[in-house]
Structures are given as structure tokens and as C-alpha cells.
Amino acid sequence: MGSSIVLLVTVVLLLNSAVGLCGCYKRIFSFGDSIIDTGNFAHITGNDPSAIKELPYGMTYFNHPTGRISDGRVIVDFYAQALQLPLIPPNLPEQDSGLFPTGANFAVFGSTALPSSYYRRWNHSVSTPSHLGEQIDWFKGMLQRIAPGDGDKRQLLGESLIVLGEIGGNDYNFWFGARKPREQAYQFIPDVVACIGSFAQDLIGLGAKTIVIPNNFPIGCVPSYLTGYQSDNPEDYDENWCLRWYNDFSARHNQALLDEVHRLTARNPGAKLIYADYYGAAMEFVKSPGRFGIVDPLVACCGGGGRYHTDKGCDKMARVWGSPGSFASWDGMHMTEKAYQVISQGVLDGPFADLPLLRSC
């Protein structure tokens, strides 16, 4: 009985703790994939070996691996620091006991928006450690534990920032990676976007007031794509030497997502839905890399040889080609801390958010 009272008092105090020094949000809850995973996948793997659990992952900011799929901080870390909050912990290590006073990160490396069962109709096998629906279920379980009353939930979420993605990129990555007809991937866009929109609406129904919904990156500029789909036809490349078709595909997804955000905004006038243009922010260092101290935005920092440094994966035996701060790509698929800092700054201050995050209070 006494321990229950102590726990209840602790939860109440945490829910009413002072907001971050910027006066915006008390906590961040984030969902997504490897772009913002801060340790959930590493936790899932347990004692099994994984390259992300060894240096050079984590070499830049933390000086040790943390489960982030980068050399250092990822986008959600920069959001937290800008909002004067601690770095947001992964939820899974403390899933059954954590009080998460400043938020929790539910993102998992390799996650999709849609469940793997969706793709069976396309004769497409997808093996993924998580999907958006499962992450939302984890979140609801946590919410019921730390804020059991409806009023408590609404208060907690009303004081929190939700980061819903980037998610959906792996739905397409797995299709393209399986060498399926690339044009068929257009058929998934409405369902991927509807999935994101449905869960955004679900979160609003629970009491969320501010949700950041990021779009997809220019995948035609990603070194692993440039390696896997290289072409002898100059027409397949744009003026930045990115693969034209794949960037156009990302743009199609992004337009559909923007339309969905507009629909949700019209339906929920009391909520702030912030469309974060990760594509546009990333294209800034693709078009003008020198402006950011980046030498070549199309090559990996950690990997092997070849035009894009991708003939070997990034692990403890890989070559690190220089300071990660002079690269945009970390391991051929994921970005460096430097790139994520540039992207996050464009969302925090503008112009790559329809409402800059630091002015969203």
C-alpha cells in the first residue's frame, strides 16, 4: 500500500514538473525507424552481435556506441537539446517500469509504416522488427500506466511534442531492395500515407496538440541507392548526380503526405500539425555541400571502396574516410550527425517546416 502511494505521488510530481527552459514542451514522444532510433533495436538484439553496438558507430558525440545508427546524434536529439530537454531515452529498456518524465522514443531500426502482413498480397516478404502500429500500441500501454485517467492523458499529451517519423521509407526500401518492379511501389503510397494519417488522428484523439510529421528523404542521393541502381544513361541522373526516378518517387510520397497533413489540419483546428520537409533540408547540402563543410554529399564516411564507398558495410573493420563532420552520409544508408544537425535546424528555425518548431509554442 505504501509503495503504491509513493509511486502515485512520484507520477503526479513528474507530470507537473517544470517545462523545458524554452517554455515549450515538457516531453517528447517519437516514433519511426533507424533515422531516430536511440537504442530500441540494440535492446531487441540482446547479446547478439551487431555492428551498431560497436565503434565507429557513436564515435563523434558520445565517443561510444549508443544504439543510434550514425556517428553521433540523430534528429530527435537535436530537437530535445533545442527545447532544453534531456536526450530522449528509448522506451524498450524500461518498457514496463519507466516513468519517462521527459518523454520516450519508440522508433526502431528497420521499422515500416505498414505491418508485414500488408505486403503478402503483393507476394512480398518483409521482415521487420516493428511497425508504426506496434509502436503506437507500446505508447498506449505506457500512457495507461503513467497517466491512467483520461484527463491525465490529455494533460500529459497536451504538454508534449509528438514526432511521428520519418516513417514509411522502409516500406519502399524493402520493395526496391528485393528488385521488385519499381513502378509498382507507387501503389503503396496511398496506404502508407493513410497509415501515418490514421495514427496521427489517433494521437490527436488521445489529446496530442502538436505533432511533427516529417516527409521522406531524397533517396536518389543516398549512396546505397546510387550504387545499387547506377546507370550508364546520363538522363537517369539530375544536375546533382542523384538518381532522378528515385527522387521523383520520394517527391510523390511527400506530396501525398502533405495533402494528408492539410486534411488533418482542416479536420482538427485545435491541433498543430507541423509538416517537416526533410527532403528539402537534405537537398540543401546536396546542392551546396561546401556551405556546410561537406566535401562530397554522395559518398559514405564509413564503409569500403568504390565510387560511393559502399563496397563494404560499416563495422569495426570498415574504413572511416575522414572526419564525419565533412560527410553527409555515414554508412551509405544513414546520415551523419552533421547532416542530421542541418536538417533539424531547418525544422527548428525554418524554412523547412510550415511552422518552425521553435515558434510552435
Side-chain angles (χ1 to χ4, degrees), residues 218 278-292 342 351-352:
Y278 287 3
Y279 183 109
M283 286 305 297
E284 289 293 289
F285 52 72
V286 170
K287 294 175 181 177
S288 305
R291 210 173 111 212
F292 305 97
V342 172
F352 296 104

Side-chain angles (χ1 to χ4, degrees), residues 2-14 97 99 145:
S3 61
S4 299
I5 293 173
V6 170
L7 177 61
L8 179 61
V9 171
T10 302
V11 170
V12 170
L13 289 173
L14 288 170
S97 60
L99 298 177
R145 182 168 52 77

Side-chain angles (χ1 to χ4, degrees), residues 141-155:
M142 177 215 68
L143 200 59
Q144 183 60 33
R145 182 168 52 77
I146 68 172
D150 287 345
D152 294 335
K153 290 182 179 67
R154 300 194 77 81
Q155 177 185 345

Side-chain angles (χ1 to χ4, degrees), residues 49-63:
S50 173
I52 69 167
K53 293 194 271 188
E54 299 177 322
L55 290 169
Y57 284 89
M59 65 178 281
T60 296
Y61 181 79
F62 303 98
N63 300 313

Side-chain angles (χ1 to χ4, degrees), residues 25 27-32 36 75-76 79-80 83 132 160-167 196-197 199-200 203-204 208-215 257 261 264 271-278 343-344 346-348 352-360:
Y25 306 103
R27 56 193 73 79
I28 297 174
F29 296 111
S30 52
F31 308 86
I36 60 169
I75 292 174
V76 73
Y79 292 163
L83 296 170
L132 184 55
S160 302
L161 174 69
I162 306 294
V163 180
L164 190 59
E166 177 271 336
I167 190 70
I196 297 168
F199 285 118
L203 291 166
I204 293 169
K209 295 294 185 184
T210 308
I211 305 179
V212 176
I213 304 179
N215 66 14
L257 184 64
V261 171
L264 287 166
K272 295 175 186 174
L273 297 166
I274 301 172
Y275 178 76
D277 184 12
Y278 287 3
I343 292 168
S344 63
V347 176
L348 287 162
F352 296 104
D354 48 9
L355 175 62
L357 191 49
L358 288 179
R359 298 205 295 272
S360 65

Side-chain angles (χ1 to χ4, degrees), residues 175-176 180-188 245 249 252:
W175 180 264
F176 297 139
K180 301 284 188 178
R182 66 184 189 181
E183 289 76 13
Q184 286 189 15
Y186 286 121
Q187 300 174 67
F188 307 145
W245 189 91
F249 179 86
R252 286 272 290 270

Side-chain angles (χ1 to χ4, degrees), residues 112-115 118-119 132 164-172 185-202 213-216 249-264 267 273 275:
T112 51
L114 296 163
Y118 168 85
Y119 292 101
L132 184 55
L164 190 59
E166 177 271 336
I167 190 70
N170 284 327
D171 294 72
Y172 310 128
Y186 286 121
Q187 300 174 67
F188 307 145
I189 291 177
D191 289 336
V192 169
V193 168
C195 175
I196 297 168
S198 174
F199 285 118
Q201 185 63 59
D202 201 6
I213 304 179
N215 66 14
N216 203 357
F249 179 86
S250 290
R252 286 272 290 270
H253 165 90
N254 294 345
Q255 184 58 56
L257 184 64
L258 178 59
D259 292 343
E260 178 69 6
V261 171
H262 287 161
R263 186 190 69 79
L264 287 166
R267 183 178 175 183
L273 297 166
Y275 178 76

